[in-house]
Amino acid sequence: MLIKTEKRTQETEVVGNIYCNMCGRQLKTDKHGYYEDFVHIEKRWGYTSEKDGKEQSVDICEHCWDKFTAGFAIKDK
Ligand SMILES: [Zn+2]
């Protein structure tokens, strides 16, 4: 009996190390591999901006998020 085989290449996206953009600290994972909670922000600037078309994304740890939001003139809800 002839068995036909074929080679397949599969691309898999995996989460690499995550660093806080504000303090530079690498976020920790627990024994199950879950990251400590953090804020992820993605922004694509529009045509009314000087950054038209530019995409930015940042990750911020909980500690830095608290420092960041403490500076808000209008507090979050
Ligand atoms: Zn941080």
Side-chain angles (χ1 to χ4, degrees):
M1 185 169 103
L2 179 65
I3 299 172
K4 283 191 170 182
T5 60
E6 62 184 76
K7 282 189 179 177
R8 291 186 184 173
T9 305
Q10 188 173 12
E11 234 176 76
T12 307
E13 194 169 340
V14 295
V15 177
N17 293 332
I18 300 174
Y19 295 87
C20 171
N21 282 84
M22 285 185 72
C23 67
R25 183 175 64 81
Q26 182 178 344
L27 301 189
K28 296 181 194 127
T29 54
D30 68 11
K31 62 182 177 183
H32 303 292
Y34 291 108
Y35 279 94
E36 62 179 282
D37 209 358
F38 62 99
V39 176
H40 177 76
I41 302 170
E42 288 184 2
K43 171 66 179 169
R44 178 183 289 179
W45 293 94
Y47 70 92
T48 56
S49 160
E50 292 178 7
K51 301 176 196 61
D52 184 18
K54 182 175 182 176
E55 293 182 27
Q56 291 181 292
S57 71
V58 296
D59 298 314
I60 302 173
C61 75
E62 186 175 7
H63 176 74
C64 289
W65 177 256
D66 289 344
K67 285 198 302 190
F68 178 56
T69 58
F72 286 2
I74 298 173
K75 301 299 177 193
D76 57 311
K77 296 170 187 145

